[in-house]
Amino acid sequence: MATSQIEQQVMLRLNSAEVRYTKGRRLLVQALQQSDGPRSARDLHGDLEEAVPMSSIYRTLTTMSDLGILVPHHGRGGNIRYELAEWLMGHHHHLICRSCGTIDDIELTEHTESIIDSLVSAATEEKGFTAAGHSFEIDGVCASCAGSG
């Protein structure tokens, strides 16, 4: 089975922490790679057709978050969704539905990104803060929820 470049990077990060890249961890990484946005533990359990026990999914999410492989996004009602870190998947932003909690990835044009970078610089310079990055999240209502109301 061919291993993607992302999986190779994950394997290196896990190996450096002396953590095995098990079949369950590999399946979870593959599911997140194919996702169009962050996924909850329950979503991932369904995506994996229950091939990985829920307890293993929770342990894997915690381990990989601690190692900087995954990024948790805290939503309404304590729901946490995870995605592969930017160093693996590239820079992007999110649309967050206030109704159903869905989080979709969006990529902005280079021009729009430069405007956001300028705003971040202006906001941080006043405080003498050095920004290492940024994330942009837009709250609203997704098309599915807007159509059902």
Side-chain angles (χ1 to χ4, degrees):
M1 177 169 101
T3 304
S4 73
Q5 190 172 12
I6 289 173
E7 288 182 74
Q8 290 173 2
Q9 293 300 313
V10 169
M11 190 178 343
L12 288 172
R13 176 72 59 104
L14 290 171
N15 286 342
S16 71
E18 298 181 2
V19 176
R20 290 181 42 231
Y21 192 36
T22 62
K23 180 181 177 183
R25 291 182 178 130
R26 178 174 282 115
L27 290 172
L28 189 130
V29 167
Q30 290 170 348
L32 287 170
Q33 249 184 296
Q34 297 166 6
S35 176
D36 59 356
R39 310 286 288 159
S40 69
R42 186 173 309 282
D43 294 337
L44 289 163
H45 191 244
D47 292 347
L48 300 175
E49 298 177 6
E50 302 183 15
V52 181
M54 186 63 97
S55 58
S56 292
I57 289 174
Y58 281 117
R59 280 192 305 275
T60 295
L61 292 172
T62 299
T63 299
M64 289 187 165
S65 293
D66 290 347
L67 293 173
I69 296 167
L70 301 180
V71 175
H73 295 276
H74 301 270
R76 303 181 110 196
N79 189 19
I80 303 173
R81 293 174 189 256
Y82 297 83
E83 70 178 339
L84 292 167
E86 264 190 25
W87 65 272
L88 291 164
M89 295 298 288
H91 184 69
H92 63 277
H93 303 283
H94 298 110
L95 300 174
I96 303 170
C97 181
R98 289 182 172 187
S99 182
C100 68
T102 297
I103 303 173
D104 286 324
D105 291 349
I106 56 169
E107 291 185 33
L108 303 176
T109 64
E110 194 172 313
H111 175 72
T112 303
E113 230 10 280
S114 70
I115 293 170
I116 292 172
D117 286 340
S118 295
L119 292 170
V120 168
S121 292
T124 58
E125 284 174 9
E126 290 178 22
K127 299 287 185 179
F129 185 85
T130 303
H134 69 266
S135 62
F136 185 55
E137 296 180 342
I138 302 170
D139 291 332
V141 179
C142 71
S144 295
C145 291
S148 66

